[in-house]
Amino acid sequence: MSTPTIQTEAGREGWEAIVADPATAVISTDFDGVLSPLVEDPARARPEEGALDALARLAASVQQVAIVTGRPALVATELTGVTGHPGLGRLVVLGHYGLERWEAATGKVTSDPVPAGVAEARSRLPELLQELGVPDAFVEDKESSLAVHTRRLPDPVGAFERLRTPLTELAESTELRLEPGNLVLELRPPGIDKGVALRRLLESTGAQSILYAGDDLGDLAAYRAIEEQRKAGLRAVLLATRSSNATELIEAADIVVDDPTGVVTVLTALSDAIAAR
């Protein structure tokens, strides 16, 4: 399979570094919109055909393969079906934006403490949504964060905009922060994001190169963290899908694909290049 279109010199250098020395490389991806198509019901998300096999093939050569997601780690492992998948015995799932870490080698989850503000926001949220006239907004309780989805509402964009300021105020009053996404507003603990998660992963592995794939605004923190590490010599490939139409992310990417099928194509091309080196 041919090399995908890489739009930047930094991205080409990152690709070449991974191919030349995969044993010091990390492959990390988001789940929703990247390994799995976006769906209205988050509980029905499943990996794109071939996605896990592509990760498993890379796992045979690279230092570490990781899934970085806002979902709870155990929920992500259940939805992805990675438990017991041949070739993914060293996979790491960083759930709750890195608050949790699940390792396939042990099957165990380790977690940082959940701030008390999450429980307070959980108790206040239903009444607030009622007052705002959107009681049917879907609240995804991730235990360490709360995501309010408007995609299922009659006017999803209007509801999203109506909720933004009140939820920002709720986040501030409970010492959380509001993270907007694709028709979703998430209240989460401060200091927890995919950038922090990736910095920890890079430090723990000592990786010299990385490919990270994302699709939404929550992945910008990961991109920024990697860009900072590039200044210190890290080689990297930033891959984005158009799944969530996150313009800022797409403009910052080295490689852009339409959807998870494109991600599978890129990961397969990378493993082909490693095998042919």
Side-chain angles (χ1 to χ4, degrees):
M1 184 175 291
S2 61
T3 302
T5 300
I6 304 175
Q7 302 173 155
T8 67
E9 182 60 30
R12 287 187 285 273
E13 291 176 358
W15 184 277
E16 291 167 1
I18 294 171
V19 171
D21 190 9
T24 62
V26 166
I27 306 298
S28 52
T29 81
D30 187 10
F31 175 56
D32 297 283
V34 178
L35 293 181
S36 166
L38 293 178
V39 292
E40 287 193 4
D41 182 356
R44 300 179 71 86
R46 297 294 183 275
E48 181 69 27
E49 183 177 358
L52 297 189
D53 291 339
L55 284 178
R57 188 177 175 199
L58 283 167
S61 303
V62 302
Q63 182 177 11
Q64 182 70 69
V65 171
I67 295 174
V68 186
T69 175
R71 292 184 185 258
L74 289 179
V75 171
T77 61
E78 179 181 351
L79 294 178
T80 56
V82 296
T83 305
H85 187 285
L88 291 177
R90 294 187 299 111
L91 175 73
V92 168
V93 176
L94 302 179
H96 286 316
Y97 304 94
L99 192 72
E100 294 184 344
R101 179 185 175 102
W102 176 87
E103 298 187 15
T106 63
K108 295 180 179 179
V109 175
T110 55
S111 177
D112 293 343
V114 178
V118 175
E120 183 181 350
R122 181 182 293 115
S123 67
R124 292 168 55 183
L125 192 54
E127 182 178 353
L128 178 60
L129 294 177
Q130 184 74 39
E131 291 174 356
L132 294 169
V134 285
D136 295 330
F138 173 62
V139 178
E140 183 184 4
D141 192 334
K142 300 181 180 180
E143 299 178 10
S144 68
S145 66
L146 302 160
V148 181
H149 297 261
T150 65
R151 184 173 287 109
R152 302 181 190 177
L153 298 175
D155 180 13
V157 176
F160 179 90
E161 293 302 329
R162 188 158 69 252
L163 287 170
R164 185 193 288 265
T165 297
L167 290 185
T168 298
E169 293 171 352
L170 175 61
E172 291 174 350
S173 69
T174 53
E175 298 185 347
L176 303 176
R177 67 184 180 89
L178 190 75
E179 183 71 37
N182 181 22
L183 298 179
V184 59
L185 295 158
E186 185 163 358
L187 296 97
R188 71 170 73 146
I192 298 295
D193 60 38
K194 292 182 181 180
V196 174
L198 279 184
R199 279 193 290 270
R200 290 177 178 175
L201 183 64
L202 289 168
E203 288 171 4
S204 66
T205 59
Q208 300 299 303
S209 60
I210 185 171
L211 178 147
Y212 180 77
D215 77 302
D216 207 347
L217 296 178
D219 296 299
L220 281 172
Y223 272 32
R224 290 170 184 145
I226 290 172
E227 287 290 4
E228 282 298 315
Q229 294 295 315
R230 272 177 163 168
K231 296 175 184 177
L234 179 73
R235 303 300 187 186
V237 179
L238 300 176
L239 169 61
T241 77
R242 295 188 176 91
S243 300
S244 295
N245 296 314
T247 302
E248 190 174 352
L249 190 82
I250 292 168
E251 291 177 348
D254 302 309
I255 301 174
V256 179
V257 296
D258 288 334
D259 50 34
T261 300
V263 174
V264 174
T265 299
V266 171
L267 296 181
T268 301
L270 182 57
S271 59
D272 283 350
I274 291 171
R277 78 189 191 282

